[in-house]
């Protein structure tokens, strides 16, 4: 399979659609796949429709970190559960998952960053994590050949890594073997409603009757929900990543400061990315959401590059229709997979930062570069909630945190759909927080 997964990648999941299912899941990223996994485990009949390819968008393009460290405190309990599920999955699936507990290391250049690390350790202690603060000397000792003037670090040895574009399709294959009907290249155009509740969905391949629908459509969720009268302030930011040629090991796991981040890969190279920089595209929805995003923009303004949205081929593109007929081609069919060009200038800066930190290795040579669109919400935590339409559940806005937390989120969303206790306080993730007068701001995370 080519990387990244694209429209040219072969269709691996082409099941015939049944006329009826208990639940239909929209979106073949890690959240959709794991939600379908746990719904099927509970004995329900489940169909998963993906307009492009499984893990074709951000679930296959992210850093590949499976981290508890630095999580928003309201996400952390689900992430702790998720790591436990990852370990169980690794026992079942072996090398196919590519899961390794090699640790996450954050690197601090300033006293303010050290103070943030110290504050977050309170959450680590509350969940009995193996997180610990490091002195400057202990930090350098963990990184072979490092000379950067870091003032200290924060490490969680139990955190992990996996190769996203391999792991998510592997999980989907197991879900299929256990009875989930998965159909790639099959866009869901909209819902079929009867008496104010879900009666089915209309796909490009026909109608499927169902009692419940889960929208786990990542960056496309806002566009899908809009015609239903459900408005969410979801926007997307571009995240650029590159894979290096094989290099000597400097750290077996994942590490980051505000200039660069890296993850050891199974092929002997590293996935590298900017530690904090990202690109934000300004389109129609961005203008409409400016006010609610102002707090996070103020917090992160210097690390954000602003660009005009493209005229086509993007959820917030100026030419993307916000309404369409269910018996005609939808925007989801016109753009099967978001495959934006990476910011090569930003990645060149990452190469330079890496070379300054590890001069003996020099500037890493790249063998591939790609980008993905992170679906974000203004408080940088997701929506996990029932929609005002009976039978509709929303699981979106993972804000770049979805890959690692995906298995735990899948279990939570499945129980939410079935009306079971989820075992976690989901009030922070309610849909109504954007309309009930709540103050919207990012929570305390790293």
């Amino acid at each position: 399979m080519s990387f990244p997964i694209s429209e040219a990648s072969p269709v691996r999941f082409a099941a015939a659609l049944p006329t009826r299912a208990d639940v239909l899941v929209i979106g073949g990223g890690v959240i959709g796949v794991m939600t379908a996994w746990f719904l099927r485990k509970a004995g329900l009949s489940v169909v998963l429709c993906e307009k492009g390819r499984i893990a074709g968008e951000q679930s296959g393009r992210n850093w590949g970190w499976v981290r508890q460290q630095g999580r928003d405190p309201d996400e952390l309990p689900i992430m702790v559960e998720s790591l436990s599920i990852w370990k169980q999955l690794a026992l079942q699936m072996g090398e196919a998952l590519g899961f390794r507990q090699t640790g996450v290391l954050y690197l601090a250049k300033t006293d303010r960053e050290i103070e943030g690390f110290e504050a977050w350790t309170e959450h680590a202690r509350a969940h009995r994590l193996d997180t610990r603060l490091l002195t400057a000397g202990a930090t350098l000792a963990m990184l072979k050949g490092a000379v950067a003037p870091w003032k200290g670090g924060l490490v969680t040895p139990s955190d992990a890594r996996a190769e996203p574009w391999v792991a998510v399709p592997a999980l989907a294959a197991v879900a299929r073997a256990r009875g989930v009907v998965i159909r790639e290249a099959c866009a869901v155009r909209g819902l079929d409603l009867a008496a104010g509740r879900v009666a089915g969905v209309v796909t490009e391949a026909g109608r499927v009757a169902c009692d419940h629908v889960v929208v786990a459509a990542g960056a496309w969720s806002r566009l899908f929900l809009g015609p239903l009268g459900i408005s969410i302030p979801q926007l997307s930011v571009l995240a650029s990543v590159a894979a290096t040629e094989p290099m000597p090991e400097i750290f077996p796991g994942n590490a980051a400061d505000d200039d660069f981040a890296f993850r050891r890969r199974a092929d002997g190279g590293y996935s590298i990315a900017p530690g904090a920089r990202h690109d934000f595209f300004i389109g129609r929805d961005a203008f409409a959401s400016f006010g609610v995003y102002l707090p996070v923009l103020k917090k992160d303004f210097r690390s954000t590059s602003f660009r005009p949205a493209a005229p086509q081929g993007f959820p917030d593109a100026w030419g993307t229709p916000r309404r369409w007929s269910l018996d005609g081609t939808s925007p989801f069919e016109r753009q099967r997979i978001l495959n934006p060009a990476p910011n090569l200038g930003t990645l060149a800066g990452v190469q330079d930062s890496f070379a300054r930190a590890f001069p003996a290795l020099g500037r890493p040579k790249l063998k591939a570069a790609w980008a993905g669109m992170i679906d974000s919400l203004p408080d940088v935590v997701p929506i996990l909630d029932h929609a005002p339409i009976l039978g509709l559940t929303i699981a979106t806005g993972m804000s770049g945190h979805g890959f690692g937390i995906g298995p735990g989120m899948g279990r939570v969303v499945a129980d939410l759909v079935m009306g079971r206790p989820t075992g976690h306080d989901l009030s922070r993730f309610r849909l109504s927080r954007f309309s009930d007068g709540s103050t919207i701001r990012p929570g305390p995370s790293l």
Side-chain angles (χ1 to χ4, degrees):
M1 181 189 298
S2 61
F3 178 78
I5 297 170
S6 69
E7 289 188 45
S9 302
V11 171
R12 298 174 59 187
F13 301 89
L17 292 180
T19 57
R20 179 170 181 80
D22 293 323
V23 187
L24 189 136
V25 177
I26 303 172
V30 66
I31 305 300
V33 167
M34 294 311 300
T35 296
W37 175 298
F38 282 102
L39 287 167
R40 182 61 192 147
K41 184 178 180 181
L44 277 67
S45 58
V46 186
V47 173
L48 186 153
C49 287
E50 164 55 47
K51 66 183 179 60
R53 304 290 186 274
I54 297 294
E57 296 192 358
Q58 189 57 19
S59 279
R61 296 165 182 258
N62 61 80
W63 293 3
W65 291 30
V66 180
R67 67 173 176 90
Q68 302 162 107
Q69 181 168 294
R71 287 273 175 180
D72 184 288
D74 289 300
E75 282 188 344
L76 186 53
I78 301 176
M79 183 59 226
V80 172
E81 177 185 353
S82 192
L83 181 61
S84 177
I85 296 172
W86 272 106
K87 291 190 286 187
Q88 295 169 27
L89 293 171
L91 289 175
Q92 298 170 22
M93 298 174 62
E95 293 299 317
L97 202 58
F99 175 82
R100 297 283 188 280
Q101 285 185 278
T102 48
V104 163
L105 173 63
Y106 282 177
L107 306 162
K109 294 181 178 178
T110 66
D111 291 334
R112 184 175 180 180
E113 288 174 319
I114 292 291
E115 291 170 2
F117 291 177
E118 290 175 344
W120 196 85
T121 59
E122 294 182 15
H123 306 299
R125 286 193 294 271
H127 293 277
R128 299 181 180 179
L129 305 187
D130 55 348
T131 305
R132 65 180 188 273
L133 285 165
L134 300 174
T135 64
T139 300
L140 286 176
M142 294 193 76
L143 297 163
K144 298 175 184 176
V147 300
W150 294 304
K151 292 197 170 187
L154 186 71
V155 66
T156 304
S158 61
D159 280 352
R161 60 180 169 92
E163 195 64 73
W165 71 285
V166 174
V168 179
L171 290 166
V174 175
R176 175 176 60 184
R178 296 181 177 181
V180 177
V181 175
I182 303 178
R183 177 77 172 261
E184 293 179 312
C186 183
V188 176
R189 293 172 174 170
L191 301 187
D192 180 16
L193 302 177
R197 68 158 298 131
V198 169
V201 302
V202 177
T203 81
E204 63 179 287
R207 180 182 182 274
V208 179
C210 58
D211 299 318
H212 299 275
V213 169
V214 177
V215 175
W220 297 91
S221 299
R222 178 176 186 158
L223 186 63
F224 182 86
L225 293 168
L228 299 170
I230 301 170
S231 177
I232 61 174
Q234 181 189 49
L235 298 174
S236 299
V237 295
L238 181 140
S240 299
V241 191
T244 74
E245 296 288 351
M247 301 171 62
E249 183 176 284
I250 53 177
F251 183 67
N254 321 310
D257 66 10
D258 57 355
D259 287 328
F260 67 98
F262 62 84
R263 169 180 61 85
R264 185 68 170 171
R265 297 168 62 95
D267 62 9
Y270 284 89
S271 285
I272 61 173
R277 291 208 63 84
H278 49 266
D279 299 83
F280 179 73
F281 293 86
I282 301 173
R284 290 166 56 186
D285 294 337
F287 274 110
S289 303
F290 178 78
V292 74
Y293 272 86
L294 190 57
V296 72
L297 289 174
K298 288 180 177 178
K299 181 179 179 181
D300 209 23
F301 189 82
R302 292 183 179 180
S303 63
T304 303
S305 298
F306 296 91
R307 301 189 195 179
Q312 301 290 340
F314 177 69
D316 195 21
W318 292 101
T320 299
R322 269 53 178 185
R323 295 288 188 274
W324 54 89
S325 170
L326 298 189
D327 58 5
T329 303
S330 71
F332 315 112
E333 294 149 78
R334 294 191 180 100
Q335 185 66 44
R336 295 286 181 182
I337 294 177
L338 286 174
N339 188 24
N343 188 326
L344 296 179
T346 297
L347 290 174
V350 172
Q351 291 172 278
D352 293 339
S353 297
F354 192 98
R356 286 192 294 269
F358 302 96
L361 294 179
R363 203 167 187 267
K365 296 179 180 179
L366 306 185
K367 68 176 183 180
W370 64 92
M373 301 303 297
I374 295 174
D375 63 309
S376 187
L377 290 166
D379 46 6
V380 203
V381 291
I383 295 170
L384 302 174
D385 203 355
H386 297 297
I389 298 170
L390 291 175
L392 180 61
T393 301
I394 303 172
T396 195
M398 298 298 151
S399 303
H401 308 159
F403 178 66
I405 205 170
M409 282 292 185
R411 200 282 301 164
V412 168
V413 176
D415 281 338
L416 193 62
V417 169
M418 294 183 287
R420 296 178 176 179
T422 65
H424 298 291
D425 180 2
L426 303 183
S427 58
R428 175 88 184 284
F429 312 129
R430 69 193 185 283
L431 173 63
S432 65
R433 71 186 190 266
F434 300 113
S435 59
D436 63 10
S438 297
T439 300
I440 302 299
R441 62 171 61 94
S445 60
L446 300 177

